Amino acid sequence: MICFLSVKQVCKDQRQYYESLLVYSRKHLMLYPYHLSDFMIRGLRVTPFAYYHGMMKDIMSQEKSYDSLPNFTAADCKFLPNMKPSGLS
């Protein structure tokens, strides 16, 4: 039997849950949670660029090298600044 629960059913404060998820993800150098981007961007106002900018700032302040990032996270960090809004050439 599969049971699907929403965040509201598990945690009383939905905002606090997503904030702690972002803190954990950033601390462990994880990819931006794109599957939750509706709430992350609208509710918390944390864009992928802001997320990776903060992550890179943390790495530099700890004097770690770029090589300390996992491969997929590093690729996402590198790709993100080159994105253009759709409709612009």
Side-chain angles (χ1 to χ4, degrees):
M1 178 178 179
I2 297 175
C3 181
F4 294 100
L5 298 174
S6 70
V7 173
K8 290 179 183 177
Q9 293 171 324
V10 175
C11 186
K12 291 181 182 179
D13 187 8
Q14 184 178 12
R15 184 179 184 85
Q16 182 183 5
Y17 171 79
Y18 285 116
E19 285 173 350
S20 64
L21 177 81
L22 276 178
V23 168
Y24 180 85
S25 297
R26 202 163 119 185
K27 181 180 176 186
H28 289 88
L29 306 175
M30 298 170 73
L31 286 172
Y32 180 82
Y34 288 104
H35 62 291
L36 303 172
S37 64
D38 285 342
F39 187 81
M40 295 295 178
I41 294 172
R42 291 187 190 132
L44 297 179
R45 303 211 182 276
V46 177
T47 62
F49 182 81
Y51 176 80
Y52 287 122
H53 181 268
M55 184 184 289
M56 294 304 294
K57 200 166 135 181
D58 292 344
I59 286 177
M60 290 171 61
S61 69
Q62 296 171 7
E63 298 182 6
K64 289 184 178 179
S65 74
Y66 185 76
D67 294 336
S68 64
L69 283 173
N71 289 341
F72 287 106
T73 304
D76 219 12
C77 286
K78 184 178 176 185
F79 172 73
L80 202 59
N82 295 329
M83 289 180 21
K84 296 179 184 174
S86 59
L88 296 178
S89 298

